[in-house]
C-alpha cells in the first residue's frame, strides 16, 4: 500500500478502503497507513462503518507484533501523555482485566504506597457484570473520583496513592474505538484489547505496570491460553515502550472474596487492610503488591507486615481523606435482603463467577448503560466458598437490594450456578495465581 498523490478532492494520504482490504486479505498494514487510519478515525474522516469493518478484519485475521505496537502508539498519540518525572518517587500501577468481586485495587494501592512508592491508579466505572473501582469507592460518603492533574500530582507526593477517574484527554482514539467495538461484536480481539488497555496505561506515564490477567467463567477471557496470549502481548507492548511490565494469570472461575457489589466490597477491603479478610483476597493482594514493589526496586519489602501493623491502613485513610471521603463514615446498607440456605449437607463444590456477577448486577450493583447510576448497597454477600463444609439450613449467600422486586431476576441468574457435593468428591482448590509472565 502506498501513499496516494494528494488530489484536489482529498488531502488525505491514504484510503480507508485500502487499509480495510489489506487487513481483510490477511496482510500486515504498513505503519504510515495504520497511523493515518487511527488519526483519521479520531478526526471523524474515517467513518464508524469503516472502522468497524477494519476492527472485524483484525478480529478475524489478527495483527503482527509490530502492527499492534504501531496501533497502540497511534492511540497514545491521539491524546495527552502524562509524566510523573519530577515526583522524585518511582511510579507503579496495576491493571486488572476485570472479574467478579475484584476489589483488589482498594487494599493494594495504599499497601504499595506505604513503602514510599507512588501508585497513580487511573480507574474506570463498571459496565455489565464486572464492577468498577470508582463505583465501589463512591460508596464512601464524600469521596471524589474526579481530580485535576495538579491534584493528582500533589496527592501522589503527599499520600503516595491516588485512585481517580482517567481524564478524557488520555487516548481519545481508544475511547471512540472501544465504544464502537462494544456494539459491533469486536471486543474480543487480542490485538484490540491489548492496544486499548496499554495505550491508556502508557499514556498515563507510569514507570512500571503489573497486569492481573484473569481467565475463567467470570473473566473476559474464559480460556487460559487466550488469557496467556493477551498477557504476553501486553507485557511486550509495555516493555517496548519503556514501561517495566509483568503479568499474573489469575483464576476467575469463582468470585473473589465473599463480597460482590460496591459498599460491601469496600467493607471487605478494609478488613484486609486491618490484617484480616478472606484468604483469596489477601493472597492476591500480597502477590500483586510483591510484583509491584519488585518492579519499583523494593523486592524485599515486608508486605504482610504492612497489613498486620496498620501502615497500609494509615495510607488508606490518608487516600480517602485526600479525596474528600470520610474513612469513618457508615457505608450504605440495603433496605431488603434475601438469604439462600443449604438444602443438603456436604461440601460446596462450585460457585460460578459469571452468574454471581450477573445476579449482583441485576440487584442494582452494576449498570446496563454508561449513564445509569449504581445502587451502592446492592450486591451479594457469600457466606461460604467452594471447599467449605455446610449443614442443612446453613446460609450460603445473601442477596442485597433496595427493592425486593429485584430478587427473582437475580435468583434466575443463579439457577444452577452453585452446588453442594459429597465430602468424598471434594477436590483441592486450584491455585489462584496460575502463571507469571515477564518480558
Ligand atoms: N478494557 C479496555 O480498556 N479495553 C478493552 O478493549 C477491554 C477491556
Amino acid at each position: 500500500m502506498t501513499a496516494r498523490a494528494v488530489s484536489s478532492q482529498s488531502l488525505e494520504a491514504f484510503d480507508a478502503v485500502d487499509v480495510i482490504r489489506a487487513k481483510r486479505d490477511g496482510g500486515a498494514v504498513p505503519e504510515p497507513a495504520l497511523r493515518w487510519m487511527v488519526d483519521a478515525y479520531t478526526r471523524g474522516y474515517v467513518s464508524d462503518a469503516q472502522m468497524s469493518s477494519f476492527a472485524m478484519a483484525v478480529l478475524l485475521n489478527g495483527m503482527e507484533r509490530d502492527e499492534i505496537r504501531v496501533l497502540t502508539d497511534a492511540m497514545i498519540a491521539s491524546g495527552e501523555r502524562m509524566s510523573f518525572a519530577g515526583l522524585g518517587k518511582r511510579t507503579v500501577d496495576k491493571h486488572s482485566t476485570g472479574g467478579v468481586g475484584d476489589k483488589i485495587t482498594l487494599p493494594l494501592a495504599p499497601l504499595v504506597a506505604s513503602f514510599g512508592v507512588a501508585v497513580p491508579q487511573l480507574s474506570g466505572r463498571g459496565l455489565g457484570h464486572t464492577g468498577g473501582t470508582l463505583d465501589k469507592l463512591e460508596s464512601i460518603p464524600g469521596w471524589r473520583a474526579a481530580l485535576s492533574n495538579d491534584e493528582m500530582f500533589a496527592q501522589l507526593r503527599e499520600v503516595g496513592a491516588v485512585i481517580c477517574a482517567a481524564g478524557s484527554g488520555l487516548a481519545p482514539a481508544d475511547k471512540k474505538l472501544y465504544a464502537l467495538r462494544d456494539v459491533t461484536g469486536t471486543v474480543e480481539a487480542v490485538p484490540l484489547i491489548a492496544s486499548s488497555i496499554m495505550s491508556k496505561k502508557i499514556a498515563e506515564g507510569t514507570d512500571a505496570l503489573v497486569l492481573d490477567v484473569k481467565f475463567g467463567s467470570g473473566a473476559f477471557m474464559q480460556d487460559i491460553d487466550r488469557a496467556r496470549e493477551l498477557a504476553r502481548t501486553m507485557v511486550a507492548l509495555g516493555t517496548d515502550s519503556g514501561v517495566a511490565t509483568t503479568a499474573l494469570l489469575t483464576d476467575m472461575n469463582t468470585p473473589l472474596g465473599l463480597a460482590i457489589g460496591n459498599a460491601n466490597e469496600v467493607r471487605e477491603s478494609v478488613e484486609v487492610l486491618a490484617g484480616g479478610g478472606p484468604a483469596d483476597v489477601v493472597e492476591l493482594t500480597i502477590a500483586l503488591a510483591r510484583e509491584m514493589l519488585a518492579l519499583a526496586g523494593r523486592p524485599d519489602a515486608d508486605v504482610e507486615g504492612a497489613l498486620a501493623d496498620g501502615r497500609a491502613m494509615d495510607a488508606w485513610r490518608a487516600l480517602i481523606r485526600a479525596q474528600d471521603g470520610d474513612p469513618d463514615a457508615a457505608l450504605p446498607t440495603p433496605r431488603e435482603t434475601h438469604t439462600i440456605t443449604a438444602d443438603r449437607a456436604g461440601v460446596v463444590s462450585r460457585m460460578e463467577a459469571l452468574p454471581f456477577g450477573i445476579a449482583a448486577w441485576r440487584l442494582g450493583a452494576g449498570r446496563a448503560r454508561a449513564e445509569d447510576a449504581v445502587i451502592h448497597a446492592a450486591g451479594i454477600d457469600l457466606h461460604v466458598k467452594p471447599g467449605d463444609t455446610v449443614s442443612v439450613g446453613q446460609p450460603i449467600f445473601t442477596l442485597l437490594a433496595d427493592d425486593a422486586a429485584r430478587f427473582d431476576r437475580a435468583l434466575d441468574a443463579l439457577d444452577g450456578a452453585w452446588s453442594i457435593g459429597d465430602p468424598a468428591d471434594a477436590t483441592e482448590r486450584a491455585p489462584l495465581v496460575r502463571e507469571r509472565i515477564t518480558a
Side-chain angles (χ1 to χ4, degrees):
M1 192 182 308
T2 50
R4 298 238 164 132
V6 174
S7 77
S8 55
Q9 261 89 38
S10 164
L11 293 172
E12 298 293 329
F14 295 91
D15 182 345
V17 178
D18 287 345
V19 178
I20 296 164
R21 282 199 187 112
K23 193 36 68 189
R24 180 199 68 188
D25 296 341
V29 181
E31 175 161 350
L34 191 47
R35 286 191 186 278
W36 171 83
M37 186 79 176
V38 174
D39 175 58
Y41 178 59
T42 313
R43 288 187 279 117
Y45 180 79
V46 167
S47 69
D48 278 351
Q50 289 173 315
M51 198 53 159
S52 73
S53 176
F54 180 70
M56 185 59 81
V58 171
L59 183 135
L60 296 173
N61 292 327
M63 273 185 152
E64 291 173 6
R65 176 169 171 168
D66 217 44
E67 285 181 287
I68 305 175
R69 180 189 59 74
V70 171
L71 176 61
T72 308
D73 207 50
M75 295 207 291
I76 295 169
S78 72
E80 68 171 317
R81 206 165 169 161
M82 295 175 70
S83 167
F84 298 112
L87 195 60
K89 296 181 188 180
R90 276 187 72 76
T91 49
V92 56
D93 191 6
K94 186 253 343 182
H95 178 83
S96 159
T97 56
V100 178
D102 184 1
K103 73 278 297 169
I104 301 294
T105 295
L106 277 58
L108 182 65
L111 172 60
V112 172
S114 73
F115 290 93
V117 171
V119 186
Q121 187 75 56
L122 300 188
S123 299
R125 292 195 160 73
L127 194 60
H129 77 277
T130 59
T133 297
L134 302 181
D135 295 325
K136 300 178 208 290
L137 283 164
E138 281 172 346
S139 316
I140 301 172
W143 189 84
R144 188 163 61 93
L147 298 184
S148 67
N149 286 359
D150 286 348
E151 285 175 314
M152 189 177 167
F153 206 86
Q155 188 171 327
L156 281 175
R157 197 188 290 284
E158 283 148 34
V159 176
V162 61
I163 304 176
C164 65
S168 55
L170 284 185
D174 170 64
K175 199 168 187 163
K176 201 171 168 193
L177 180 56
Y178 192 28
L180 182 71
R181 286 164 55 213
D182 207 23
V183 294
T184 55
T186 51
V187 167
E188 297 89 349
V190 165
L192 300 180
I193 301 171
S195 55
S196 165
I197 293 173
M198 293 305 290
S199 61
K200 287 170 285 199
K201 289 291 155 184
I202 297 167
E204 168 198 304
T206 186
D207 295 325
L209 175 66
V210 175
L211 298 161
D212 178 3
V213 181
K214 302 201 175 288
F215 65 91
S217 81
F220 216 28
M221 300 276 164
Q222 313 260 308
D223 172 65
I224 191 166
D225 294 329
R226 295 254 301 147
R228 187 183 299 110
E229 186 193 343
L230 176 63
R232 285 192 177 139
T233 306
M234 292 196 290
V235 167
L237 281 174
T239 309
D240 288 352
S241 303
V243 178
T245 309
T246 60
L248 298 182
L249 288 188
T250 69
D251 191 332
M252 186 26 79
N253 282 298
T254 301
L256 252 181
L258 294 168
I260 307 164
N262 295 296
N264 60 345
E265 293 203 31
V266 173
R267 266 184 218 105
E268 189 167 274
S269 303
V270 172
E271 282 169 30
V272 173
L273 288 158
D280 55 350
V281 179
V282 175
E283 178 188 339
L284 190 51
T285 303
I286 288 176
L288 290 165
R290 288 220 174 96
E291 288 292 325
M292 290 170 77
L293 287 161
L295 290 181
R298 301 289 309 274
D300 302 324
D302 177 13
V303 174
E304 283 96 336
L307 286 175
D309 67 15
R311 274 176 288 156
M313 180 68 96
D314 289 346
W316 160 262
R317 294 175 65 80
L319 181 157
I320 298 303
R321 278 210 194 90
Q323 292 179 236
D324 299 335
D326 177 357
D328 299 312
L331 294 169
T333 50
R335 276 192 222 121
E336 308 287 343
T337 62
H338 180 79
T339 297
I340 298 296
T341 57
D343 57 2
R344 58 164 291 189
V347 171
V348 179
S349 49
R350 199 171 56 86
M351 284 182 136
E352 286 294 331
L354 179 60
F356 276 92
I358 292 172
W361 173 56
R362 289 184 179 175
L363 290 166
R367 53 169 71 76
R369 295 170 309 159
E371 59 274 25
D372 293 346
V374 303
I375 298 167
H376 290 115
I380 304 177
D381 280 342
L382 306 181
H383 304 297
V384 292
K385 293 280 287 226
D388 289 348
T389 302
V390 293
S391 51
V392 177
Q394 186 172 331
I396 303 295
F397 56 84
T398 298
L399 307 183
L400 318 169
D402 275 354
D403 179 355
R406 290 183 181 260
F407 290 147
D408 281 349
R409 289 255 298 143
L411 288 169
D412 284 348
L414 290 166
D415 192 26
W418 55 283
S419 46
I420 299 173
D422 290 330
D425 299 332
T427 51
E428 285 278 292
R429 174 166 80 83
L432 191 57
V433 179
R434 213 55 74 76
E435 280 174 41
R436 178 167 181 271
I437 312 263
T438 57

